Amino acid sequence: MRHLRKKQIKGQRSGVWALLPKAATPVPEPSPPAAPPPGIERRAFVRHFCDIGALVDSWPAKIENVSRGGLKFVIGRRFEVGTILKVEIASEAQESLSLLLARVIRAAPESTGNWGLGCAFLQEISEEEVQDLLATEAKMQ
């Protein structure tokens, strides 16, 4: 067996040795929050189910649910996510017209061949306005 010798480093006469930095230990990334169990609502506003006729950019549509933050309707054509749409809802006697602007958040094909579009209002509506829309449905039935 060979005898190992210490090698003297020139220029290091003070006796202080430089230590190499410790290898960085990887920091684990935080895990995403656990998905809530199915059936748990994460919505900011109460969703009211309905069946209200409307015109969406001049296309006939049926509103299936509405909340202060947005609505879902079924329509015969697809709109791209991000598209801003004009939603017109007429009252029973056509004496007044509600006009809402909404941005498409989600587009999914329906089993009927139509498209279900989830939209967020550009400007949140009041609970009173939601109730007025729901009253429109009650008057038309």
Side-chain angles (χ1 to χ4, degrees):
M1 181 167 196
R2 285 179 47 188
H3 185 280
L4 298 175
R5 289 184 355 185
K6 290 184 181 177
K7 184 176 179 182
Q8 184 179 6
I9 300 174
K10 294 182 180 183
Q12 295 290 333
R13 297 181 187 214
S14 68
V16 176
W17 294 87
L19 298 176
L20 294 175
K22 239 182 176 180
T25 56
V27 177
E29 291 187 29
S31 60
I40 300 290
E41 283 287 337
R42 295 177 295 159
R43 298 176 183 276
F45 303 108
V46 175
R47 177 173 41 176
H48 302 277
F49 292 93
C50 58
D51 184 8
I52 301 171
L55 284 177
V56 177
D57 278 5
S58 301
W59 285 79
K62 182 182 81 166
I63 298 173
E64 289 190 341
N65 66 60
V66 64
S67 73
R68 290 182 56 199
L71 51 78
K72 180 206 175 191
F73 57 86
V74 176
I75 193 166
R77 65 158 287 189
R78 183 177 196 274
F79 287 93
E80 294 294 321
V81 171
T83 304
I84 295 175
L85 301 172
K86 179 175 64 172
V87 181
E88 299 173 77
I89 305 163
S91 69
E92 175 188 358
Q94 300 287 337
E95 59 195 41
S96 66
L97 186 71
S98 296
L99 177 65
L100 302 165
L101 295 177
R103 175 177 281 117
V104 177
I105 302 298
R106 183 179 45 79
E110 298 272 316
S111 60
T112 59
N114 292 323
W115 286 88
L117 301 180
C119 299
F121 294 132
L122 295 186
Q123 185 173 358
E124 180 183 304
I125 63 174
S126 69
E127 188 61 34
E128 182 180 310
E129 290 170 300
V130 171
Q131 294 306 319
D132 288 345
L133 290 174
L134 296 172
T136 298
E137 175 192 25
K139 289 176 186 175
M140 291 185 164
Q141 289 182 349

